[in-house]
């Protein structure tokens, strides 16, 4: 038979099924691949000489990474989705019921549909390798596992562990997977297929026994607790605790986690078939939910942004110099070294630089056994050299400056670097607000000065805001983009202006929170309302975390351009800074940090003397309208002025850099969901009530007048 996605090899009485999707670095479970797999099962059933099979991947470091998400955009009705899910269920049920053992030999990522595929196999052998991992990440797309994962996983590892994986999307690596019963055996990568073949023959001969449903739960007191909870009426406690945890985390904004709990529970209480029916029904419903559509939009937007349109102009970067070894600089050093670059790390003296390098090692060490080996940790760490002067910067191809947000300091280090650097050095500043042209004014080669604005903590937050000027040549922009992509970042390119994009829209959002305090709102009410809206932290907490002094400095940069539009920035933040309130960094901010304990913090009542009005109740809906809308309106202005080149970049910047709720898709996607006319009407009312800072962007007026969404050509925007 002719196959495109699979190769069927034979070793005497054992078939080796190799999944190797053509023209792709990874395997995905497309409809075409699934239907071809059915013909492979036909062959296994037909050939009586074959006593069993091994299922493995033809990719170097990946098993199967899930379903083909592009198909989600072609679905026209829930009924169509349900039919496809039923087709997938029938295929995996057929694999599960096969009268010949099929052993999965897993090396690399088996996630989403890939994990569900191996759950339908009869035995699982995994490679002892950092890249081998298992996950059900569908919840991050606003969905639930749709190929039997909600039913087979809890039967294999227990309800508690299945709920944890399905509700978080977290990865489980090889050794923990063995301990929890997700896999049956481990092998070195080189001997993986041989070990799987031996398992097939052992299963046939009765010498190897596959783990039974639920048999993988760990023993001891923890295992006894799981057994008591899951096999007695106390199992209701598991679901109640899961629902309470979901409510606390999502604040009721995401339907998928609730559906996951419901679907697993139905399967456990009413049987496998009822559970599969619930899985198909709920999956189809979620595909058409606005939350899932927004999350899928971001998935494709992110993928589109992670391509370098200037790749041909980009120049190779071997050595990266980092100026500043604090939290930001050491984070940039880490991701640069992880990308394979040699890194020179400098600060005001050698001891500070060495301390920065030490903090990188600690972060790298946390990942050992979780996608990284100890050897890889040591290799990455060895790429970083702490230095006390500029001599080593002679060999740098790119220098990234991460010193304090002060234009004169940034100009000073730029001159010092250029005094020793090669002619083609690119100097990137990590400024969050100062126009690049103002820093570049001190350069002998201003066209080679560019902005690379990272977000803290750098190793965790994906966004990189690259700021170009009118003088930036393609080779400089292309090189900065390439380095960012190698560092694992999702880059957006924005134009040079005070605050660029992210800081500019964040500044008005944070300012509105201070205005609300001036009007009498309580600190905790503002934060709670915005967290309920979907932001991960409230604006007042964020100001404490970033630093009240940092916020005041940013306001100093943006004060004049906002004043030209009749917008006066609140003065409370500057007054607090002058009084010594800096936020968490000096344990003196809007919240009381004296206890040092985690959990909900008490408000520092002293801050209210810097805000004139007495405290009063402010409706949650008012807070949830004013703060997001002022941020969105400024995003529209950035697109109107050419600071942004596309709605896509605006959505990525707000979500991945500032925490705009992902399930809303970003300012532009959310505006389309509400309708530009509705957004315009709300802003016009806010302008009447509160003044010119809410004056609607002209671009929004144009879209509202034409009844045209920002994503008029959604396909081209990703």
């Amino acid at each position: 038979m002719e196959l495109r996605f699979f190769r069927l090899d034979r070793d005497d009485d054992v078939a080796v099924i190799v999944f190797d999707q053509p023209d792709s670095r990874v395997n995905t479970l497309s409809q075409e691949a699934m239907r071809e797999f059915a013909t492979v099962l036909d062959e296994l059933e037909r050939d009586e000489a074959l006593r069993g099979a091994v299922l493995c991947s033809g990719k170097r470091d990946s098993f199967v990474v899930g379903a083909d998400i592009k198909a989600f955009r072609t679905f026209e009705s829930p009924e169509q989705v349900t039919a496809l899910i039923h087709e997938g269920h029938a295929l995996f049920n057929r694999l599960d019921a096969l009268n010949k053992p099929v052993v999965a030999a897993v090396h690399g990522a088996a996630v989403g549909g890939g994990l569900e595929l191996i759950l339908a196999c009869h035995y699982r052998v995994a490679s002892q390798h950092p890249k081998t991992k298992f996950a059900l990440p569908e919840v991050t797309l606003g969905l639930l596992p749709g190929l039997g994962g909600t039913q087979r996983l809890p039967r294999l590892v227990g309800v508690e562990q299945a709920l944890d994986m399905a509700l978080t999307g977290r990865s489980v690596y090889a050794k923990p997977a063995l301990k929890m019963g997700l896999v049956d055996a481990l092998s070195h990568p080189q001997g993986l297929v041989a070990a799987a073949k031996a398992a097939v023959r052992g299963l046939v001969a009765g010498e190897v026994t596959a783990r039974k449903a639920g048999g993988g739960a760990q023993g001891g007191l923890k295992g006894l607790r799981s057994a008591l909870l899951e096999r007695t009426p106390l199992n209701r406690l598991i679901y109640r605790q899961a629902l309470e945890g979901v409510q606390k985390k999502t604040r009721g904004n995401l339907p998928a986690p609730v559906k996951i709990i419901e679907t697993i529970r139905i399967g456990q209480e009413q049987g496998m078939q009822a559970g599969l029916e619930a899985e198909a029904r709920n999956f189809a419903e979620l595909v058409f939910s606005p939350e899932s559509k927004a999350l899928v939009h971001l998935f494709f937007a992110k993928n589109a942004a992670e391509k370098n349109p200037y790749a041909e102009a980009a120049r190779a970067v071997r050595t990266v110099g980092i100026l500043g070894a604090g939290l930001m600089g050491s984070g940039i050093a880490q991701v640069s070294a992880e990308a394979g670059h040699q890194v020179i790390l400098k600060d005001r003296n050698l001891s500070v630089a060495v301390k920065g390098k030490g903090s990188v090692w600690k972060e790298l060490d946390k990942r050992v056994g979780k996608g990284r080996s100890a050897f890889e940790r040591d290799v990455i760490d060895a790429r970083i050299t702490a230095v006390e002067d500029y001599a080593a910067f002679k060999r740098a191809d790119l220098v990234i400056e991460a010193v304090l947000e002060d234009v004169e300091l940034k100009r000073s280090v730029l001159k010092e670097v250029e005094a020793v650097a090669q002619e083609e050095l690119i100097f990137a500043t990590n400024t969050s607000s100062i126009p690049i042209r103002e820093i570049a004014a001190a350069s002998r080669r201003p066209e080679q000065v560019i902005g690379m604005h990272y977000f803290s903590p750098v190793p965790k937050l994906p966004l990189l805001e690259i700021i170009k000027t009118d003088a930036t040549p393609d080779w400089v922009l292309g090189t900065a983009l390439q380095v960012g992509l190698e560092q694992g970042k999702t880059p957006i390119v924005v134009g040079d202006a005070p605050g660029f994009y992210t800081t500019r829209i964040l500044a008005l959002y944070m300012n509105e929170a201070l205005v609300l305090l001036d009007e009498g709102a309580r600190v905790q009410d503002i934060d709670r309302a915005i967290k309920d809206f979907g932001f991960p932290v409230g604006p007042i907490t964020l100001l404490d975390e970033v630093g009240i002094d940092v916020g005041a400095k940013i306001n100093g940069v943006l004060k004049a351009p906002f004043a030209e539009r009749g917008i006066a920035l609140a003065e409370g933040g500057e007054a607090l800074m002058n009084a010594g309130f800096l936020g968490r960094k000096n344990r003196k901010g809007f919240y009381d940090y004296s206890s040092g304990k985690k959990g909900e913090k008490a408000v520092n009542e002293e801050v209210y003397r810097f805000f004139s009005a007495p405290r009063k109740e402010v409706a949650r809906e008012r807070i949830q309208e004013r703060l997001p809308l002022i941020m969105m309106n400024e995003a529209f202005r950035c697109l109107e002025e050419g600071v942004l080149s596309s709605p896509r970049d605006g959505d990525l910047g707000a979500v991945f850099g500032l925490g705009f709720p992902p399930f809303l898709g970003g300012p532009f996607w959310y505006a389309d969901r509400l309708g530009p006319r509705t957004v315009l009407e709300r802003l016009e009312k806010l302008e009447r009530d509160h003044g010119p800072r809410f004056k609607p962007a002209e671009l929004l007026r144009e879209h509202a007048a034409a009844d045209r969404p920002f994503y008029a050509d959604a396909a081209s925007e990703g």
Side-chain angles (χ1 to χ4, degrees):
M1 60 182 169
E2 186 176 345
L3 299 172
R4 288 187 63 242
F5 292 84
F6 294 90
R7 186 172 68 251
L8 193 61
D9 300 328
R10 295 167 185 267
D11 179 4
D12 193 16
D13 57 349
V14 175
V16 178
I17 306 164
V18 183
F19 190 174
D20 195 2
Q21 184 171 333
D23 305 319
S24 176
R25 293 184 301 105
V26 296
N27 295 321
T28 57
L29 291 174
S30 63
Q31 283 181 254
E32 190 178 356
M34 295 274 280
R35 286 166 182 169
E36 188 173 286
F37 187 60
T39 68
V40 172
L41 294 184
D42 289 341
E43 180 66 13
L44 284 180
E45 290 173 337
R46 185 194 62 77
D47 193 336
E48 295 180 1
L50 292 175
R51 305 183 70 191
V54 169
L55 176 62
C56 62
S57 169
K59 307 304 180 185
R60 181 177 175 181
D61 284 319
S62 173
F63 184 74
V64 180
V65 298
D68 179 11
I69 297 173
K70 290 179 183 177
F72 293 2
R73 299 185 126 180
T74 67
F75 295 145
E76 296 178 356
S77 69
E79 291 75 21
Q80 180 189 14
V81 178
T82 302
L84 288 170
I85 294 297
H86 282 156
E87 187 178 335
H89 283 167
L91 178 64
F92 281 18
N93 287 346
R94 183 182 170 195
L95 170 62
D96 197 347
L98 201 68
N99 60 358
K100 300 175 182 180
V102 177
V103 174
V106 184
H107 175 68
V111 300
L115 175 53
E116 292 175 290
L117 173 61
I118 70 167
L119 289 173
C121 293
H122 307 102
Y123 196 87
R124 288 152 290 279
V125 183
S127 69
Q128 288 183 281
H129 191 278
K131 287 186 168 56
T132 297
K133 62 181 181 179
F134 308 86
L136 292 175
E138 289 85 356
V139 69
T140 63
L141 293 175
L143 300 168
L144 52 71
L147 291 171
T150 62
Q151 304 308 305
R152 290 190 174 88
L153 185 61
R155 285 168 170 77
L156 190 65
V157 304
V159 171
E160 276 193 298
Q161 294 185 111
L163 280 169
D164 177 57
M165 288 185 69
L167 291 173
T168 64
R170 72 177 181 91
S171 295
V172 175
Y173 293 88
K175 285 186 178 178
L178 177 68
K179 183 178 179 181
M180 70 190 290
L182 184 54
V183 300
D184 299 277
L186 301 181
S187 168
H188 292 295
Q190 296 82 355
L192 179 64
V193 174
K197 289 178 186 176
V200 170
R201 294 186 172 108
L203 287 166
V204 171
E207 298 166 355
V208 172
T209 304
R211 296 183 188 235
K212 301 297 182 184
Q218 57 267 64
L221 291 175
K222 194 169 183 180
L224 178 60
R225 173 183 175 277
S226 295
L228 284 171
L229 285 173
E230 294 177 21
R231 298 169 192 172
T232 71
L234 288 173
N235 63 11
R236 295 173 185 171
L237 180 62
I238 298 176
Y239 301 111
R240 186 168 69 246
Q241 288 178 337
L243 280 168
E244 288 171 355
V246 160
Q247 180 61 33
K248 184 177 180 181
K249 183 177 180 180
T250 70
R251 304 174 98 88
N253 286 312
L254 285 168
V258 176
K259 293 291 187 185
I260 288 170
I261 297 168
E262 172 193 305
T263 306
I264 290 177
R265 183 171 187 167
I266 287 173
Q268 291 292 300
E269 294 180 352
Q270 300 178 32
M272 180 87 163
Q273 189 55 43
L276 290 174
E277 287 296 331
E279 183 180 270
R281 180 177 63 253
N282 287 332
F283 186 94
E285 182 180 322
L286 289 170
V287 164
F288 290 91
S289 69
E291 294 83 6
S292 181
K293 286 183 176 181
L295 292 166
V296 170
H297 149 68
L298 287 173
F299 174 86
F300 284 106
K302 184 175 185 292
N303 283 353
E306 291 170 358
K307 296 178 176 64
N308 186 354
Y310 301 93
E312 291 187 7
R315 299 183 183 178
V317 170
R318 183 175 182 276
T319 301
V320 176
I322 310 288
L323 294 173
L327 180 65
M328 185 67 76
S330 62
I332 299 170
Q334 178 180 330
V335 297
S336 299
E338 288 175 324
H341 301 301
Q342 296 298 314
V343 176
I344 308 161
L345 184 60
K346 183 185 182 305
D347 208 296
R348 60 184 180 273
N349 58 53
L350 183 59
S351 64
V352 177
V354 170
K355 184 179 178 181
K357 176 177 164 66
S359 67
V360 173
W361 194 93
K362 290 177 183 177
E363 289 301 313
L364 295 173
D365 191 54
K366 292 177 183 177
R367 294 295 304 163
V368 172
K370 300 175 181 178
R372 177 172 292 145
S373 67
F375 175 75
E376 288 172 320
R377 174 202 61 200
D378 294 343
V379 167
I380 294 167
D381 178 67
R383 294 186 184 125
I384 303 174
T385 304
V387 301
E388 61 181 338
D389 57 38
Y390 285 102
F393 281 70
K394 292 178 182 178
R395 65 176 187 271
D397 305 296
L398 168 70
V399 168
I400 304 173
E401 161 271 302
V403 301
L404 295 175
E405 191 76 349
D406 180 277
V407 66
E408 292 305 324
L409 176 59
K410 290 178 184 292
R411 286 173 176 171
S412 174
V413 296
L414 167 57
K415 290 177 181 177
E416 290 168 354
V417 168
E418 286 191 340
V420 300
Q422 56 179 301
E423 287 291 314
E424 294 188 345
L425 173 82
I426 297 173
F427 185 92
T429 172
N430 182 51
T431 176
S432 60
S433 61
I434 303 169
I436 307 305
R437 60 183 177 273
E438 292 186 14
I439 299 169
S443 174
R444 297 197 301 246
R445 298 177 289 274
E447 72 280 0
Q448 290 168 221
V449 178
I450 195 168
M452 293 181 74
H453 178 206
Y454 293 83
F455 294 77
S456 184
V458 177
K460 293 182 180 178
L461 292 186
L463 188 72
L464 172 61
E465 188 176 32
I466 296 179
I467 306 102
K468 66 175 183 176
T469 70
D470 293 340
T472 305
D474 287 354
W475 73 268
V476 172
L477 180 57
T479 303
L481 274 166
Q482 194 58 41
V483 168
L485 291 170
E486 290 167 358
Q487 292 171 336
K489 297 300 174 185
T490 300
I492 62 171
V493 177
V494 303
D496 189 26
F500 321 124
Y501 170 61
T502 54
T503 302
R504 177 172 157 182
I505 69 171
L506 180 66
L508 280 183
Y509 165 84
M510 302 284 271
N511 182 71
E512 196 61 24
L514 295 178
V515 172
L516 280 162
L517 287 175
D518 264 335
E519 294 174 3
R522 298 185 180 94
V523 165
Q524 68 271 34
D525 291 345
I526 296 171
D527 274 354
R528 192 175 296 124
I530 292 305
K531 287 184 71 176
D532 287 346
F533 185 79
F535 281 80
V537 297
I540 309 299
T541 295
L542 183 60
L543 193 52
D544 264 4
E545 294 291 337
V546 170
I548 296 170
D549 55 330
V550 174
K553 287 181 180 179
I554 290 171
N555 274 5
V557 173
L558 295 171
K559 190 173 185 177
F562 283 145
E564 292 175 5
R565 290 161 45 191
I567 300 173
L569 296 179
E571 297 179 358
E574 187 173 354
L576 281 165
M577 177 189 72
N578 292 335
F581 290 78
L582 304 183
R584 182 182 281 277
K585 69 176 73 173
N586 75 337
R587 307 175 73 81
K588 189 177 181 182
F590 288 95
Y591 286 96
D592 181 3
Y593 299 96
S594 59
S595 71
K597 295 180 180 178
K598 292 185 177 181
E600 189 161 337
K601 304 173 291 295
V603 174
N604 181 358
E605 298 287 335
E606 284 186 63
V607 298
Y608 289 136
R609 64 187 171 89
F610 296 92
F611 301 94
S612 54
R615 297 307 103 190
K616 62 182 181 182
E617 291 290 336
V618 176
R620 185 180 72 160
E621 293 75 17
R622 286 177 59 192
I623 299 169
Q624 291 177 337
E625 181 174 54
R626 285 167 58 175
L627 268 71
L629 276 178
I630 204 165
M631 175 184 275
M632 291 166 64
N633 192 43
E634 199 63 19
F636 306 151
R637 285 185 180 276
C638 287
L639 183 60
E640 175 185 310
E641 295 170 11
V643 173
L644 285 173
S645 62
S646 70
R648 184 198 76 193
D649 285 351
D651 284 346
L652 289 173
V655 172
F656 292 135
L658 307 179
F660 193 93
F663 60 85
L664 298 180
F668 295 93
W669 187 268
Y670 185 47
D672 282 355
R673 174 177 162 183
L674 295 175
R677 287 181 181 174
T678 298
V679 177
L680 177 63
E681 289 168 1
R682 291 183 183 179
L683 282 167
E684 287 175 334
K685 183 179 186 304
L686 287 169
E687 183 186 12
R688 290 193 298 271
D689 293 344
H690 300 287
R693 67 184 184 276
F694 284 102
K695 182 180 180 180
E698 286 304 313
L699 183 63
L700 175 64
R701 292 188 186 279
E702 292 173 12
H703 279 264
D707 197 21
R708 186 176 76 250
F710 287 100
Y711 284 96
D713 185 6
S716 68
E717 287 290 354

